Amino acid sequence: MLEHACPQNKRFFTLLGIALLISVNSILPFGTGFSIAQESEIAPLAARSLLLDGQVLGQRVVVVGERGHILISDDQGLSWVQQPVPTRTTLTSVFFIDDTIGWAAGHDSVILKTQDGGQHWQAVYADPDDQRPILDLWFRNKQQGYAIGGYGLFLTTNDGGQSWNVFDFDPATLRSYSPDHIATWSEKPEEETWEIDYHLNQLSATARGRLYIAAEAGHLYRSDDGSHSWLSLPSPYGGSFYGSLVLSENRLLLFGLRGHLFSSEDAGVTWEERQTGVASTLNDGIRLKDGRIILAGQDGTVLISSDLGKSFQLYAQPDRSDIAKVLVLDQNTLLLIGELGVSRISLASPSTERLP
């Protein structure tokens, strides 16, 4: 099917054509260094272009997207300054471990690093011949991190992203489960060849470091030992999952294609479906300090729950543009990152203010 034949660009199912057309050999690796073919082009309307991820760093906001665009705002997203970047490859993910050190990644398996809060970026890894995009990044600390993506792509680093290694992603499967929440797992037989080629879309973590990967075609994985080994969890749905939202060590929400949402109270072993009332794909979820849960996705969908995800109220954005990421500025103000760049939403009156 199309979704599997063409890895989605940070969970943007309707924007595949755009993303693939603009991801063409912008960094070429040789040996331990990089030959930079093209640097990003400073574009006056970059803040209104396709943006796919972002992070709030105190008073600063950093967002990334198509054509290697990386933009910084130091005024709560009211104005943006595009930064020079050594690639024109679409960037799908950004992750900062603190206010200064961060990484961005995307197509061609490109990975960039910054040590000054996103003002300057260095290319640390790329593999355009692999033809698998990185779809998400997560770092445990300044040294140890993971990059996941299309067709089972899984990279690890133990030196702050200066070098990356391919991880042999071979999860065990659930063999049995009993009502007292004791699950046993079975390894693959030695003679069986096993290769994960589903798209690994998003990686999330609990406060204690348990990891979850939401993946294509109903696949969901969990690691309880810092990514040394993985479990393939029972799936409540055959369609793709684009993200999970951790609520506690054992409680999480799982969301994805066609507005499907599920909740688990036992670390993903059993699931209960939650009704969202929408058929639009859900791309991102966050939890505010006051407990409210926000889900967002295609067609300008913004869902707000005040009862831990048991029910949601829909606030469809007027421009109906796809939303890839939700960022929290304060308890009543969000930034929506997506198809038309950056917009602001006030939870006191959830309507979009399209930023210049």
Side-chain angles (χ1 to χ4, degrees):
M1 79 184 181
L2 175 61
E3 181 187 1
H4 188 80
C6 240
Q8 70 279 9
N9 189 9
K10 190 65 176 181
R11 307 178 298 280
F12 252 156
F13 197 59
T14 60
L15 299 174
L16 296 180
I18 297 174
L20 292 176
L21 283 174
I22 59 183
S23 174
V24 183
N25 294 335
S26 52
I27 296 183
L28 301 179
F30 65 97
T32 59
F34 292 88
S35 173
I36 306 302
Q38 289 183 317
E39 294 191 358
S40 61
E41 181 179 358
I42 301 302
L45 298 180
R48 296 184 182 178
S49 65
L50 172 63
L51 298 172
L52 297 168
D53 201 8
Q55 192 168 337
V56 178
L57 312 173
Q59 296 300 310
R60 171 166 290 181
V61 184
V62 180
V63 297
V64 304
E66 67 173 342
R67 302 185 186 279
H69 290 165
I70 297 182
L71 299 99
I72 288 177
S73 173
D74 287 321
D75 59 5
Q76 297 287 286
L78 295 175
S79 63
W80 296 88
V81 178
Q82 186 181 353
Q83 306 304 305
V85 177
T87 183
R88 291 186 186 180
T89 295
T90 294
L91 299 173
T92 62
S93 308
V94 65
F95 188 93
F96 280 80
I97 198 67
D98 56 29
D99 288 351
T100 59
I101 298 177
W103 300 262
H107 287 202
D108 292 343
S109 297
V110 166
I111 303 177
L112 312 175
K113 184 176 182 179
T114 180
Q115 300 186 75
D116 60 6
Q119 297 182 77
H120 300 89
W121 295 83
Q122 171 196 7
V124 294
Y125 182 85
D127 189 1
D129 291 337
D130 188 276
Q131 298 184 342
R132 292 185 293 176
I134 293 171
L135 299 175
D136 203 15
L137 281 171
W138 186 79
F139 274 74
R140 185 179 302 278
N141 49 50
K142 291 182 180 181
Q143 299 301 316
Q144 186 179 14
Y146 314 100
I148 61 173
Y151 300 103
L153 177 65
F154 200 128
L155 303 172
T156 65
T157 182
N158 290 303
D159 59 7
Q162 293 304 121
S163 63
W164 292 82
N165 300 301
V166 176
F167 178 72
D168 184 16
F169 187 57
D170 187 10
T173 56
L174 181 67
R175 185 174 65 197
S176 63
Y177 173 76
S178 59
D180 58 358
H181 290 192
I182 298 175
T184 60
W185 307 86
S186 61
E187 300 291 345
K188 299 293 178 186
E190 291 185 3
E191 66 274 10
E192 180 181 353
T193 59
W194 180 254
E195 180 180 355
I196 295 292
D197 65 350
Y198 297 111
H199 308 329
L200 307 180
N201 293 323
Q202 184 247 19
L203 194 154
S204 61
T206 69
R208 297 180 183 177
R210 171 178 281 163
L211 302 177
Y212 294 96
I213 292 178
E216 182 192 20
H219 291 273
L220 177 67
Y221 307 104
R222 190 185 86 201
S223 176
D224 300 327
D225 58 8
S227 188
H228 295 292
S229 63
W230 287 85
L231 310 172
S232 180
L233 298 174
S235 176
Y237 172 60
S240 290
F241 298 121
Y242 295 135
S244 63
L245 177 61
V246 170
L247 303 179
S248 68
E249 190 65 22
N250 293 312
R251 298 177 60 224
L252 73 157
L253 298 177
L254 181 65
F255 50 86
L257 202 62
R258 299 192 179 99
H260 284 285
L261 175 68
F262 304 88
S263 65
S264 176
E265 303 286 333
D266 54 16
V269 176
T270 61
W271 297 92
E272 180 180 350
E273 186 166 11
R274 301 293 188 188
Q275 298 302 316
T276 63
V278 299
S280 300
T281 292
L282 301 173
N283 294 321
D284 193 32
I286 59 170
R287 185 181 184 185
L288 304 180
K289 290 182 179 179
D290 63 10
R292 283 178 294 175
I293 290 173
I294 314 293
L295 300 177
Q298 287 184 354
D299 306 319
T301 298
V302 175
L303 298 170
I304 302 178
S305 173
S306 299
D307 55 10
L308 294 178
K310 295 179 181 178
S311 63
F312 286 87
Q313 187 170 357
L314 172 64
Y315 295 91
Q317 299 307 289
D319 60 16
R320 302 292 182 179
S321 64
D322 292 347
I323 302 165
K325 184 73 174 182
V326 181
L327 302 179
V328 181
L329 294 179
D330 56 50
Q331 279 298 100
N332 284 305
T333 309
L334 308 176
L335 289 182
L336 305 180
I337 312 300
E339 180 182 6
L340 299 181
V342 185
S343 59
R344 181 190 296 267
I345 180 173
S346 170
L347 295 181
S349 178
S351 60
T352 299
E353 173 192 355
R354 181 62 58 186
L355 301 177

